Amino acid sequence: AQSVAQPEDQVNVAEGNPLTVKCTYSVSGNPYLFWYVQYPNRGLQFLLKYITGDNLVKGSYGFEAEFNKSQTSFHLKKPSALVSDSALYFCAVRDTLYSTLTFGKGTMLLVSP
Amino acid sequence: GAGVSQSPSNKVTEKGKDVELRCDPISGHTALYWYRQSLGQGLEFLIYFQGNSAPDKSGLPSDRFSAERTGGSVSTLTIQRTQQEDSAVYLCASSFRSRIDRDNSPLHFGNGTRLTVT
């Protein structure tokens, strides 16, 4: 079985400060990990993915995420938040044994001016 | 280019009625997914089509739910005898299963169909 947990329903951060959105996963095999973002009244968009190789992956809009196998985590980060980053963020995992993605419940990121 | 198109964008139906939701994937995308998004529930996997393979129906919540994909392109999700708990946003996504990325190609989502069962 595969599952993903996003422990925070909401994250609040001031513009210009660093942000972290947390994600932990559980898989039987090896994980493939993804972050998607949903802006208000828009569809989900792909941000970044970890498949193999370097544990730090970089994606769109200045976001990055760090894969930590020992902690089974894949936290999303950005050094300096923008108000326009305010959106709903979803972490997703695919076990090598499966073909489908399992998504977390999402974390609402609110960046204040 | 054109993205994933879903219709209708909104659907209000009475409890007990059947509904059909349509998804037009990006041309050339062999993989097609249906997810359901409810408040506080995140994205719930429903069904997955990949080329000519048998679909993965493991996420369908009951036998009232079914889906077809005709000609490897357009897909229809059908909910029979709708219940109030079926109210949600139904999202369709497609991806191109490249030789390199295989099942790890990014998903391209439509804007969804908001279903309200009264």
Side-chain angles (χ1 to χ4, degrees), chain B residues 81-94:
Chain B
R81 305 181 301 281
T82 52
Q83 304 295 313
Q84 287 186 332
E85 60 262 28
D86 299 335
S87 297
V89 176
Y90 289 81
L91 294 170
C92 176
S94 69

PDB file of all heavy atoms in Angstrom, chain B residues 81-94:
ATOM      1  N   ARG B  81     -27.699   6.698  -9.705  1.00  0.00           N
ATOM      2  CA  ARG B  81     -28.459   6.868  -8.460  1.00  0.00           C
ATOM      3  C   ARG B  81     -27.664   7.725  -7.471  1.00  0.00           C
ATOM      4  O   ARG B  81     -27.333   7.299  -6.356  1.00  0.00           O
ATOM      5  CB  ARG B  81     -28.774   5.507  -7.846  1.00  0.00           C
ATOM      6  CG  ARG B  81     -29.502   4.566  -8.806  1.00  0.00           C
ATOM      7  CD  ARG B  81     -29.822   3.210  -8.153  1.00  0.00           C
ATOM      8  NE  ARG B  81     -28.636   2.513  -7.680  1.00  0.00           N
ATOM      9  CZ  ARG B  81     -27.800   1.832  -8.428  1.00  0.00           C
ATOM     10  NH1 ARG B  81     -27.990   1.759  -9.742  1.00  0.00           N
ATOM     11  NH2 ARG B  81     -26.752   1.221  -7.892  1.00  0.00           N
ATOM     12  N   THR B  82     -27.384   8.942  -7.891  1.00  0.00           N
ATOM     13  CA  THR B  82     -26.507   9.812  -7.103  1.00  0.00           C
ATOM     14  C   THR B  82     -27.006  10.003  -5.677  1.00  0.00           C
ATOM     15  O   THR B  82     -28.222  10.033  -5.408  1.00  0.00           O
ATOM     16  CB  THR B  82     -26.351  11.191  -7.769  1.00  0.00           C
ATOM     17  OG1 THR B  82     -27.660  11.721  -8.045  1.00  0.00           O
ATOM     18  CG2 THR B  82     -25.556  11.099  -9.043  1.00  0.00           C
ATOM     19  N   GLN B  83     -26.067  10.132  -4.783  1.00  0.00           N
ATOM     20  CA  GLN B  83     -26.316  10.387  -3.372  1.00  0.00           C
ATOM     21  C   GLN B  83     -25.672  11.715  -2.993  1.00  0.00           C
ATOM     22  O   GLN B  83     -24.764  12.184  -3.670  1.00  0.00           O
ATOM     23  CB  GLN B  83     -25.729   9.263  -2.518  1.00  0.00           C
ATOM     24  CG  GLN B  83     -26.224   7.876  -2.881  1.00  0.00           C
ATOM     25  CD  GLN B  83     -27.713   7.724  -2.621  1.00  0.00           C
ATOM     26  OE1 GLN B  83     -28.196   8.099  -1.549  1.00  0.00           O
ATOM     27  NE2 GLN B  83     -28.444   7.194  -3.592  1.00  0.00           N
ATOM     28  N   GLN B  84     -26.094  12.290  -1.890  1.00  0.00           N
ATOM     29  CA  GLN B  84     -25.558  13.578  -1.464  1.00  0.00           C
ATOM     30  C   GLN B  84     -24.065  13.498  -1.189  1.00  0.00           C
ATOM     31  O   GLN B  84     -23.335  14.464  -1.445  1.00  0.00           O
ATOM     32  CB  GLN B  84     -26.316  14.094  -0.242  1.00  0.00           C
ATOM     33  CG  GLN B  84     -27.718  14.579  -0.596  1.00  0.00           C
ATOM     34  CD  GLN B  84     -28.420  15.232   0.568  1.00  0.00           C
ATOM     35  OE1 GLN B  84     -28.147  14.912   1.728  1.00  0.00           O
ATOM     36  NE2 GLN B  84     -29.330  16.143   0.269  1.00  0.00           N
ATOM     37  N   GLU B  85     -23.598  12.353  -0.718  1.00  0.00           N
ATOM     38  CA  GLU B  85     -22.161  12.222  -0.435  1.00  0.00           C
ATOM     39  C   GLU B  85     -21.305  12.165  -1.702  1.00  0.00           C
ATOM     40  O   GLU B  85     -20.078  12.190  -1.620  1.00  0.00           O
ATOM     41  CB  GLU B  85     -21.883  10.973   0.420  1.00  0.00           C
ATOM     42  CG  GLU B  85     -22.301   9.669  -0.218  1.00  0.00           C
ATOM     43  CD  GLU B  85     -23.654   9.204   0.286  1.00  0.00           C
ATOM     44  OE1 GLU B  85     -24.475  10.059   0.664  1.00  0.00           O
ATOM     45  OE2 GLU B  85     -23.878   7.980   0.269  1.00  0.00           O
ATOM     46  N   ASP B  86     -21.973  12.097  -2.875  1.00  0.00           N
ATOM     47  CA  ASP B  86     -21.228  12.140  -4.139  1.00  0.00           C
ATOM     48  C   ASP B  86     -20.851  13.569  -4.520  1.00  0.00           C
ATOM     49  O   ASP B  86     -20.063  13.776  -5.450  1.00  0.00           O
ATOM     50  CB  ASP B  86     -22.059  11.534  -5.281  1.00  0.00           C
ATOM     51  CG  ASP B  86     -22.418  10.078  -5.046  1.00  0.00           C
ATOM     52  OD1 ASP B  86     -21.675   9.393  -4.298  1.00  0.00           O
ATOM     53  OD2 ASP B  86     -23.448   9.625  -5.586  1.00  0.00           O
ATOM     54  N   SER B  87     -21.410  14.547  -3.824  1.00  0.00           N
ATOM     55  CA  SER B  87     -21.099  15.942  -4.119  1.00  0.00           C
ATOM     56  C   SER B  87     -19.611  16.196  -3.913  1.00  0.00           C
ATOM     57  O   SER B  87     -19.067  15.933  -2.840  1.00  0.00           O
ATOM     58  CB  SER B  87     -21.914  16.878  -3.225  1.00  0.00           C
ATOM     59  OG  SER B  87     -23.296  16.732  -3.477  1.00  0.00           O
ATOM     60  N   ALA B  88     -18.956  16.700  -4.956  1.00  0.00           N
ATOM     61  CA  ALA B  88     -17.511  16.917  -4.918  1.00  0.00           C
ATOM     62  C   ALA B  88     -17.097  17.532  -6.246  1.00  0.00           C
ATOM     63  O   ALA B  88     -17.923  17.706  -7.151  1.00  0.00           O
ATOM     64  CB  ALA B  88     -16.756  15.604  -4.695  1.00  0.00           C
ATOM     65  N   VAL B  89     -15.812  17.833  -6.370  1.00  0.00           N
ATOM     66  CA  VAL B  89     -15.247  18.222  -7.662  1.00  0.00           C
ATOM     67  C   VAL B  89     -14.567  16.988  -8.244  1.00  0.00           C
ATOM     68  O   VAL B  89     -13.714  16.377  -7.600  1.00  0.00           O
ATOM     69  CB  VAL B  89     -14.241  19.382  -7.519  1.00  0.00           C
ATOM     70  CG1 VAL B  89     -13.614  19.695  -8.876  1.00  0.00           C
ATOM     71  CG2 VAL B  89     -14.937  20.614  -6.952  1.00  0.00           C
ATOM     72  N   TYR B  90     -14.945  16.642  -9.458  1.00  0.00           N
ATOM     73  CA  TYR B  90     -14.376  15.477 -10.124  1.00  0.00           C
ATOM     74  C   TYR B  90     -13.325  15.961 -11.123  1.00  0.00           C
ATOM     75  O   TYR B  90     -13.629  16.720 -12.043  1.00  0.00           O
ATOM     76  CB  TYR B  90     -15.471  14.658 -10.802  1.00  0.00           C
ATOM     77  CG  TYR B  90     -16.321  13.952  -9.775  1.00  0.00           C
ATOM     78  CD1 TYR B  90     -17.347  14.629  -9.116  1.00  0.00           C
ATOM     79  CD2 TYR B  90     -16.063  12.636  -9.412  1.00  0.00           C
ATOM     80  CE1 TYR B  90     -18.096  14.006  -8.137  1.00  0.00           C
ATOM     81  CE2 TYR B  90     -16.808  11.993  -8.440  1.00  0.00           C
ATOM     82  CZ  TYR B  90     -17.817  12.691  -7.792  1.00  0.00           C
ATOM     83  OH  TYR B  90     -18.554  12.062  -6.812  1.00  0.00           O
ATOM     84  N   LEU B  91     -12.104  15.510 -10.913  1.00  0.00           N
ATOM     85  CA  LEU B  91     -10.970  15.970 -11.715  1.00  0.00           C
ATOM     86  C   LEU B  91     -10.491  14.866 -12.638  1.00  0.00           C
ATOM     87  O   LEU B  91     -10.398  13.708 -12.246  1.00  0.00           O
ATOM     88  CB  LEU B  91      -9.817  16.386 -10.803  1.00  0.00           C
ATOM     89  CG  LEU B  91     -10.054  17.601  -9.913  1.00  0.00           C
ATOM     90  CD1 LEU B  91      -8.935  17.737  -8.908  1.00  0.00           C
ATOM     91  CD2 LEU B  91     -10.147  18.865 -10.757  1.00  0.00           C
ATOM     92  N   CYS B  92     -10.183  15.272 -13.844  1.00  0.00           N
ATOM     93  CA  CYS B  92      -9.599  14.359 -14.827  1.00  0.00           C
ATOM     94  C   CYS B  92      -8.172  14.833 -15.100  1.00  0.00           C
ATOM     95  O   CYS B  92      -7.895  16.046 -15.105  1.00  0.00           O
ATOM     96  CB  CYS B  92     -10.424  14.382 -16.102  1.00  0.00           C
ATOM     97  SG  CYS B  92      -9.758  13.395 -17.452  1.00  0.00           S
ATOM     98  N   ALA B  93      -7.283  13.906 -15.316  1.00  0.00           N
ATOM     99  CA  ALA B  93      -5.903  14.247 -15.644  1.00  0.00           C
ATOM    100  C   ALA B  93      -5.394  13.279 -16.699  1.00  0.00           C
ATOM    101  O   ALA B  93      -5.821  12.123 -16.753  1.00  0.00           O
ATOM    102  CB  ALA B  93      -5.008  14.184 -14.406  1.00  0.00           C
ATOM    103  N   SER B  94      -4.481  13.759 -17.520  1.00  0.00           N
ATOM    104  CA  SER B  94      -3.866  12.882 -18.510  1.00  0.00           C
ATOM    105  C   SER B  94      -2.357  13.084 -18.499  1.00  0.00           C
ATOM    106  O   SER B  94      -1.851  14.094 -18.005  1.00  0.00           O
ATOM    107  CB  SER B  94      -4.431  13.143 -19.912  1.00  0.00           C
ATOM    108  OG  SER B  94      -4.020  14.405 -20.419  1.00  0.00           O
TER     109      SER B  94
END
